[in-house]
Amino acid sequence: MPIDDSRLQMLTALAKKALWLSSWTIHNANHIRPNTDGLKVGGHQASSASLATIMSALYFSVLKPEDRVAVKPHASPIFHAIQYLFGNQTREKLENFRGFKGAQSYPSRTKDVDDVDFSTGSVGLGVAQTLFSSLVQDYVSAHGLIGDRREGRMIALVGDAEMDEGNIFEALVEGWKHGLRNCWWIIDYNRQSLDAVVREGLWEKFESMFRNFGWDVVIVKYGRLMDAAFAEPGGLALKTWIDNCPNQRYAALCFQGGAAFRKRLHDEIGDQGDVTALIDRRSDDELLALMSNLGGHDMASMIEAFETIDHDRPVCFIAYTIKGVGLPFQGHKDNHAGLMTPTQMEKWRESQNIRPGQEWDKSEGLAQDAAALEAFLKQVPFVQQGRRRLDAPTIEVPDTLQFKPASEMSTQQGFGLILNELARSETELASRIVTASPDVTVSTNLGAWVNRRGLFAKAENADLFRQEKIPSTFAWDYSPKGQHMELGIAEMNLFIMLSALGLSHSINGARLLPIATLYDPFIERGLDALNYACYQDARFMVAATPSGITLAPEGGAHQSIATPLIGMAQDGLASYEPAFVDELAVIMRWGFAHMQRAAGEGGSVYLRLSTRAIEQPKRIMTPDLQQHITDGAYWLRKPGDNCDLVIAYTGTLAPEAIEATGLLGEAHRDIGLLAITSADRLHTGWTAARRIRREQRVPQQSHIEKLLAPLPRDCGIVAVLDGHPATLGWIGAVHGHRLEALGVEHFGQTGTIGDLYRHHGIDANAIIDAAEALSPAAPVRHRKMAV
C-alpha cells in the first residue's frame, strides 16, 4: 500500500532532523567541546548519515513497543538523536557525547539513559544477540511465561563490512537448527568498510546464504527518483549502467558530484538519444540527487519494504546506501574517519536553515510547525507504552541445595547431582532454570538434568533410540516444555545465548536462571561474547569443567591455565573454584540469588570445576561457614598463636595442600590451612575496602584482611592452585607477608596427575619445598613418595 503523502513528509522531515542532530552532536564533541586526548569521532558521522532514513523509518513508523533493536555501533549518534526527539535522551548528555557520563559512543543498555535494547560495540555480537533473543522469546512463550505481552521482532542494523565477523555465520547455523522466527537483519549496504570498499557482488553471496538458511531476502536498491527515471525513455540503459558500475567507482562519483556523474555517464553510455536526454534534462544537483537516491535513503522505499512483511519468518533486508550521504565527504573511501570542518558545518547549517543558537531545537529548520511535530511523535507506535525496560519478580531460592553425598566425589559430579535433585523438585526455582551446552551436555554432567527436564524445541520430537527399545543412559526427548537448549560446538553461540537468556527478565518480563556448561579451556574461545554478555549485565551461571592440568591424560589442548585470571578480571562475573561439593552447593545457592539482585549489586557466576574425585569432608555447614565460603575463603585449619606458616590452596589441590600441611606440622605446629573458594571475591573485597579507606577515610576491612590479620608479620604463606600462580600471588600484599605462589605457567601435556603435578611444581613435595624456603624451621623428615 502506498504511503500517505502527509505521513511521508513528516517522516522525511524527522529523518532530516535526526541527521542534523546526530551530525551536530559529533561536531560539538570535536570542535565545540573537543576531546582533551585529541581522539576524533570519525566514523560516527558517516555511518549515522548512512542509516538516517532506515532508522527513522523504523523508529518513527514501523516499530512496535514489543520490538527490540540492536543498533549498528557507529550509528550511535543517530540513535541518540531519534531518542532525543522522543524525549528519551537529554540535551545535556548529547552535548557531552563521548564525554564522562555523556551519551555513549556505542549504544549501551547499562550506561545510556535512552532505553537501549542491546548494547553494541564489539562488531557482530549485537547482530547475533537478536537471533538468540528471538529464540529465547520462543522459549518463554512456549513455557507460558510471556503473559499478555505480544511477541516482538528482534531487529539488527548491520554494516555490510560487519558481515565478515565469524560469529554472525555461527549464529545463522544455530538459528536454522532451532526454527528461527521474528528476526530481521537490515544490512546497511554502503559497500564501504573502515579501510576500503567491499568486494563486488557481495550482495549476491548474502542473498544466497540467507535464502539457504531459510530467510526471506528483500533487496531495497532503488529509491522513488530512480524508479521514476527508469520509467522514462532511456531509463533501462541508465539502470543497466547503475547495476554494472563497480562499487569503488560509484562511491567516488558520489563524492565528486553531479558533474562527474554526467561526464562518466556520457563517456560510458555514449550518445544514445533517450538516455542522453534523460541525463541532460537534469542539472548537476538534480543528477546527483537522482544517482544518490538509493533505496536505503528513500523513505517511501524503506517503509514499503518493511510494511510488506506479513509473516514471522526471518527476513534479511539488503538496503543500498551511500556512506556519509548528504555530507561533504559522502562516498569517499576515507570517510570513516571523516569529520566536517567548522567551515563545512557552517555551510551545511545554512543549507538546513538552522539558526545559530537553535541547533538543539526539535523543529528548527523544518517546514512542519513544532505543535504538529510533537503531535506526530506522541502518536508513534514505538512509544505508546513508554519505556520498554521490563522487570520480573525474583525467584525464591531454598535455604540449602540438596545432593547425595559420597566419600569421594569431584565437583563436576557434585554439580550434576545438585541439578538432578533440583530437577526432581517441583519448585519455582527448578522451573526457571534453563541449561545450555555446546555439544558437551553429557561430558559435563548435565545428563541427569536433561533426562528429567527434557530438551527444548517448538515441536515434539521423541528419542528414537527409546522408541526402538535400544538401551541408553540418556533420554533425548524434545518438546516445547523442555528446559535444555542443545547447541552446536561454537562457544561464541553459547555465550550470546546466555546473554539473551540472562536478559529475559528485562526483554520479555520473564525471569530465567540460565546455566551453561563447557570445557574450561574453551572459555577463551568465547571470551569476546562472554565479555559482551557481562557488559550488558546479563545474568547467568557458567560451570566450566574439566579444568586445569588435572585433566592429565587429555594433554595440553584440553588443559586450562589462564582461566582463573579471566574469572578475576571479568567485570560482572563472580568466579569460584570450590574443592568440595558441599562448598559448591553453598556457592550455587548464593549464585542463584546473586543472579537476581539489582543492577550494581548482582551479576553472573563462573564455577571452575574439576573431574578429579577427592575425599569429601564430613561437617556441619554452619551459617558462618557458608558466609565465609561465599566471601571467598575460610580456615580449614585455623592457625595457632605462634603461626609462622600458612598453606593457602584453591580447588582440586586440596589433597596436596592437606597432605603438605600434615607433613609440615611437625616443624610448624601452629601452621594454618586456608581454603580459598574464590580468589576473585577476595580480591574484589580487598580493593573495595582499600578504596573506601582512601576516599571516605572510614575504617573498612575486607574478608581476606580479617582472615590474615591475626598472623604474625614474619609468617610465610605458600599459595597453590591448578592455574596461573598470579591468581593468588597478590595475597602477600594484604598485610605484607612473604609469599611463594605455586601454579601452572606453561602448556600441559599428557601423563598422570602425579606426573603433571610434579612436573609443574604443585604437588605436596613442591609445597613443602616452598614452605622450607620461606620459613627457617627444621626440614621435613617425611615426604610424599612418588607414585
Side-chain angles (χ1 to χ4, degrees), residues 370-502:
L373 192 73
E374 284 297 325
F376 183 90
L377 287 170
K378 287 179 180 177
Q379 296 302 313
V380 168
F382 178 73
V383 296
Q384 292 310 299
Q385 295 178 11
R387 287 181 62 83
R388 301 160 310 114
R389 191 69 61 89
L390 306 177
D391 202 359
T394 58
I395 307 302
E396 184 179 353
V397 181
D399 292 337
T400 58
L401 298 182
Q402 302 297 323
F403 63 93
K404 292 184 178 179
S407 58
E408 281 196 359
M409 301 173 71
S410 71
T411 47
Q412 176 179 305
Q413 178 188 2
F415 169 77
L417 291 174
I418 291 167
L419 280 183
N420 183 47
E421 291 303 314
L422 280 169
R424 289 159 54 94
S425 71
E426 296 301 326
T427 62
E428 185 72 2
L429 172 66
S431 72
R432 296 304 180 97
I433 291 174
V434 189
T435 57
S437 189
D439 204 35
V440 290
T441 298
V442 174
S443 54
T444 54
N445 277 56
L446 272 179
W449 165 268
V450 175
N451 278 352
R452 294 188 182 279
R453 292 286 172 161
L455 295 100
F456 174 73
K458 285 181 288 189
E460 300 275 352
N461 187 3
D463 187 339
L464 291 179
F465 274 72
R466 285 207 308 169
Q467 288 188 356
E468 295 296 327
K469 296 183 170 52
I470 299 173
S472 173
T473 308
F474 304 103
W476 297 101
D477 286 327
Y478 291 82
S479 79
K481 297 305 177 185
Q483 290 180 238
H484 177 72
M485 308 286 284
E486 183 64 10
L487 303 175
I489 295 172
E491 283 79 9
M492 290 289 284
N493 281 345
L494 174 73
F495 285 117
I496 301 177
M497 171 63 92
L498 281 180
S499 182
L501 289 165

Side-chain angles (χ1 to χ4, degrees), residues 8 26 86 165 260 309 318 423 501 511 524-525 552 591 600 632 653 716 777:
L8 178 61
I26 298 164
F86 280 135
E165 290 289 347
I309 304 303
I318 302 176
L501 289 165
R511 189 176 301 279
E524 292 164 356
R525 286 187 184 174
L653 281 172

Side-chain angles (χ1 to χ4, degrees), residues 681-694:
R681 292 273 291 167
L682 289 181
H683 189 268
T684 298
W686 181 49
T687 55
R690 287 188 299 159
R691 186 180 302 111
I692 291 171
R693 292 197 296 265
R694 184 173 63 249

